Amino acid sequence: MRIGILNSGGDCPGLNAVIHGVVGAADQLGWEVIGFRDGFEGLLPPGDYKVLKPKDTIGILKMGGTILGTTNKGHFAAKVGKGDVAEVSEMIIAKAKRTMDQLGIEALVIVGGDGSLTTGLQLYRAGWPIVGVPKTIDNDLSATAMTFGFDSAVTTVVDGLDRLHTTAESHKRVMVLEVMGRHAGWIALWGGIAGGANVILLPEVPFSLEKVSDFIKQRDAQGHHSTLVVVAEGAKLPDGDLVTLSGNAGGEIRLGGIGECVAKRLEALTGKDTRACTLGHLQRGGAPTALDRILGVRFGVMAVKLAQEGAFGRMVSYQAYHVDSVPIEEAVNKLRLVEPDGELVQAAKAVGICLGD
Ligand code: F6P
């Protein structure tokens, strides 16, 4: 048997661990693995791919990025604007299918987030043998408790906060750290709690900057002259909308800039020296954490098992320390967001973190 693998959308720490898992498990079955380059684009004739043997994956487990390359643009982007779905054209699908048939690919493992798995679902509905593997640092996919890449991104946020802490204290400043996560606040909330942030502003919890300012003044009065604020890139300004950059990210609007806006307003409201810092793509690059490596390998192994069982149209899913699978449609088109009154938000509040609500 010959199977294909591609990763699509933004890169993410742990992608190479999935490739390692797929190639290792497939080799045990005597199967051959074809890795398509640059996401779905590698499927377009004449096909851009390489045969992946276990020797090709030696040492990749610890590497960030992906040895296959990826793109969140191109002929297969399934998302437009603020997450609306766009269909891939029939002509493009027919062209890509020719490559699949010529190579004799009997299962195609798609490692992707919401957008790429939406494309995967369309291909499955068109009769393709698709197996999905959830990938995103944003951790916003439904039907899986966790995606690989998230833990690495959170670890980078924590490292950033540890560093900001000392400079904020030395200068008695307010430091605002903008983090990724698109429309979900998972990275901000996990990173903020673990990194000792004093304020966390989320897309899911409407906030008032006056309340944040009062909180900072109160801290000052209590002798805490520095404050660490984490703001999710997808948080909305109280009197406005999302803050965006020009261009698009994977067909969707590019979020960014809210950190600067929040810092300016807080400086005006509190009178305190305030600086903004944007962590940006540092959260996506670099070596995956041990957790993301293990998740990646297990997800890859499960993807091969699903292919072996002919369980197409399904996505690997992580639930309560167990790796299983769900229909792809359960995972896409509905983002998994932070529950505003959930246990995690309550825990943040219980330790004195201000959410500005
Ligand atoms: O979905 C992952 C993610 O890193 C988001 O957190 C972020 O908004 C976006 O991708 C950035 O995309 P790009 O790499 O195209 O700037």
Side-chain angles (χ1 to χ4, degrees), residues 167-184:
T167 175
E169 245 183 15
S170 306
H171 287 266
K172 300 186 175 60
R173 277 177 174 162
V174 176
M175 298 293 310
V176 179
L177 181 66
E178 177 184 312
V179 302
M180 282 185 167
R182 234 191 269 276
H183 304 291

Side-chain angles (χ1 to χ4, degrees), residues 120-192:
L121 186 59
Q122 191 190 340
L123 297 177
Y124 169 67
R125 287 180 175 150
W128 290 41
I130 299 293
V131 169
V133 174
K135 166 238 69 166
T136 167
I137 62 163
D138 305 334
N139 206 27
D140 59 355
L141 270 173
S142 295
T144 184
M146 196 178 276
T147 50
F148 67 87
F150 172 64
D151 185 61
S152 302
V154 168
T155 301
T156 302
V157 172
V158 172
D159 178 55
L161 285 171
D162 286 352
R163 290 167 192 276
L164 289 178
H165 189 85
T166 54
T167 175
E169 245 183 15
S170 306
H171 287 266
K172 300 186 175 60
R173 277 177 174 162
V174 176
M175 298 293 310
V176 179
L177 181 66
E178 177 184 312
V179 302
M180 282 185 167
R182 234 191 269 276
H183 304 291
W186 296 109
I187 296 179
L189 191 53
W190 278 56

Side-chain angles (χ1 to χ4, degrees), residues 229-252:
V229 179
V230 173
V231 58
E233 62 176 3
K236 282 185 187 160
L237 289 171
D239 52 359
D241 203 354
L242 294 164
V243 183
T244 58
L245 303 167
S246 59
N248 67 67
E252 296 197 63

Side-chain angles (χ1 to χ4, degrees), residues 210-231:
E210 283 71 23
K211 283 191 182 154
V212 176
S213 159
D214 289 346
F215 176 80
I216 293 170
K217 286 178 185 163
Q218 199 185 350
R219 281 176 56 77
D220 250 358
Q222 290 165 348
H224 306 298
H225 300 301
S226 65
T227 296
L228 291 184
V229 179
V230 173
V231 58

Side-chain angles (χ1 to χ4, degrees), residues 186 189-190 193 338-339 341-350 355:
W186 296 109
L189 191 53
W190 278 56
I193 295 174
V338 171
E339 283 173 40
D341 297 317
E343 175 271 328
L344 201 55
V345 166
Q346 296 303 334
K349 289 181 175 173
L355 277 83

